Amino acid sequence: MTQVLYLFGSAAPPVHGLPDVVRRLQKQEIDVCVGLTPMAARWLADDIESLEELTGHPVRSEYKAPGSGDVWPPADGILFAPVTFNSINSWALGLTNHFVVGVAAEAIGKGIPTTAMPCVNAAYAQHPQLDRSIATLRGAGVSVLYGPGGFEPNQPGEKRPFPWHLALDKVGALQQ
């Protein structure tokens, strides 16, 4: 049976890799629905149409109107990567003004397996709220790939490959 994965991204440079990530997930026979924060949607404006063609689903960055039907099938899992400092803190605090943060917050209560991989630089990582937010999400059952074995912060402005393979390995384990 095909698994449905909601792939969420916020506005950090690795979000530009989502088309490749979708293709990699589809090779595992995963049906992918892409959701973006509003800023990430602006960053990927030129890729939205091709992502929709690739997935067969609309790319969403806004809540639907009350009473309108769902355009995505129900999720078997969620991968929120990259998730920025702002998005991870909003999620942990229950501030759901962005569609993807709201869906991720609701997934906790619905028991949907959810994985997050932050993308923050070392300056943001020094802010005390980040550790509190990660602890809150982990305590709620979210698998947060941060620190050893996950994303490790880089210096501001430093370019390093995002460890997508770690997130994809975790998603692959959900299928077993």
Side-chain angles (χ1 to χ4, degrees):
M1 181 167 103
T2 301
Q3 297 283 312
V4 176
L5 179 77
Y6 291 178
L7 176 60
F8 293 162
S10 38
V15 80
H16 292 286
L18 287 187
D20 180 55
V21 172
V22 168
R23 286 191 272 295
R24 291 166 67 183
L25 289 165
Q26 288 174 330
K27 286 181 182 175
Q28 298 176 44
E29 297 186 13
I30 297 174
D31 184 13
V32 183
C33 300
V34 175
L36 303 167
T37 62
M39 184 59 71
R42 280 183 234 136
W43 285 17
L44 293 179
D46 292 340
D47 296 318
I48 299 290
E49 188 175 319
S50 63
L51 278 168
E52 290 177 341
E53 289 174 12
L54 185 62
T55 64
H57 302 288
V59 172
R60 296 191 55 199
S61 60
E62 296 180 7
Y63 285 104
K64 64 183 178 78
S68 60
D70 287 329
V71 295
W72 287 352
D76 295 304
I78 296 173
L79 172 58
F80 199 157
V83 57
T84 60
F85 180 78
N86 184 58
S87 292
I88 203 157
N89 289 324
S90 295
W91 181 11
L93 293 169
L95 305 175
T96 60
N97 58 324
H98 294 303
F99 166 71
V100 294
V101 174
V103 173
E106 191 175 41
I108 292 169
K110 289 181 172 182
I112 298 170
T114 303
T115 299
M117 189 153 56
C119 183
V120 297
N121 67 38
Y124 281 125
Q126 296 304 307
H127 194 288
Q129 185 58 48
L130 182 64
D131 288 336
R132 288 192 291 264
S133 292
I134 289 170
T136 295
L137 292 173
R138 285 179 173 158
V142 176
S143 177
V144 182
L145 304 176
Y146 181 79
F151 179 82
E152 296 192 40
N154 51 295
Q155 292 303 312
E158 178 185 1
K159 305 277 189 260
R160 257 195 293 161
F162 192 66
W164 281 111
H165 65 284
L166 298 173
L168 295 176
D169 288 349
K170 181 70 175 174
V171 168
L174 292 176
Q175 288 190 285
Q176 323 228 331

